[in-house]
């Protein structure tokens, strides 16, 4: 099952400056070879259910290794049986409908 | 890795009445043997990362089988290395701190 | 407009122990007179759109006052025009459909 | 209070094709003059707490007017007292930290 996902990962107890931790996650996503798009409140991911969840789990592991005793994620997942979706298409379809 | 998760699953294109679809998911969760708590905006889940994600994936599958061409989930996941967490403890700890 | 909402508020840069901070928010919600239900991954809220959003904003304010330089919330909001919803009814309707 | 928010709005009972509904929301956001960024799983918003919440409420109203008996939103809100944040800065800071 293909998914279009979005994840916002927050390490807790590792200070208020999160950008280096978020960057460590982005590198994991990039190494995994998933299509992704970083935005101001998370990261869009495209791949199979298993790939996407494995990458998010790996980000939790790495943030714990970097010293965060707690890690929280907020994840959105969309699956569809009536069409193949891609990150770009989902954006393009909305933009085309705007006046 | 143990997780305390929360999931809100929404079938799209299967009408506005969602309770029978949500009930079908709850049964999947119950059959999986996970500890869970149904609330007004989702379901708390306690288990291993793999178990929890497999159950949510199974809910997507079943909602597609029940006729929803699209299924969206909003998931929260918390992991901790400094303590074992349970659904009850997380609630109890807050309630104890309230005046 | 009535809403059934759910909020999970996370203070960042205020340590990994969140229960006292969450308890401070619960007291704000209680003082506001909103119907609420605390669960393991957030709090269900029932009220008007304005009341609910004002209470969540007040929680952000208080967590900043308690020393968190950053506060993140994950919020779910449901509105309906075809029926009046309550926290209990949303749970009861699902439980009735389970075998 | 300035916020960096992210919203994913889902009309229920209005069919599985959501792009025209999402486009209607994007137009509301644009008319409101808020800085925004559409991505594959929602829209980043930058503005005051009140402005952002009023725009999201207006989107719920419009989707109900367009025929959806139920509308669900998943919202992320970040506030900060130690710095001014912008949509671009949040992305740039992460990208700078990536190898």
């Amino acid at each position: 099952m293909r998914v279009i996902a979005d994840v916002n990962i927050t390490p807790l107890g590792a200070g208020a400056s999160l950008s280096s931790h978020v960057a460590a996650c982005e590198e994991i996503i990039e190494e995994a070879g998933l299509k992704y798009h970083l935005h101001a409140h998370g990261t869009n991911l495209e791949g199979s259910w298993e790939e996407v969840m494995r990458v998010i789990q790996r980000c939790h592991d790495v943030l714990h290794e970097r010293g965060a005793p707690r890690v929280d994620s907020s994840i959105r997942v969309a699956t569809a049986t009536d069409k193949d979706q891609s990150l770009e298409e989902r954006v393009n379809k909305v933009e085309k409908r705007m006046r």
Side-chain angles (χ1 to χ4, degrees), chain A:
Chain A
M1 184 162 43
R2 300 286 295 172
V3 301
I4 299 291
D6 188 68
V7 63
N8 187 42
I9 306 185
T10 308
L12 298 170
S17 174
L18 304 185
S19 50
S20 71
H21 298 304
V22 176
C25 281
E26 298 302 306
E27 290 167 12
I28 291 164
I29 294 165
E30 193 152 284
E31 283 162 23
L34 294 187
K35 270 175 68 178
Y36 72 98
H37 165 68
L38 173 68
H39 59 81
H41 243 301
T43 305
N44 297 158
L45 296 172
E46 182 185 334
S48 72
W49 183 287
E50 290 80 5
E51 284 172 327
V52 165
M53 292 307 178
R54 202 177 306 127
V55 160
I56 298 172
Q57 184 179 10
R58 177 90 186 106
C59 287
H60 274 248
D61 281 338
V62 165
L63 293 177
H64 284 307
E65 286 162 15
R66 292 171 62 95
R70 293 189 43 192
V71 180
D72 278 9
S73 282
S74 155
I75 307 170
R76 294 174 189 149
V77 187
T79 57
T81 51
D82 57 344
K83 57 189 161 192
D84 277 332
Q85 305 180 100
S86 72
L87 296 181
E88 296 82 11
E89 278 165 18
R90 279 171 68 103
V91 172
N92 292 344
K93 275 172 62 179
V94 173
E95 287 182 338
K96 251 189 303 194
R97 309 298 284 263
M98 292 177 70
R99 286 176 295 233

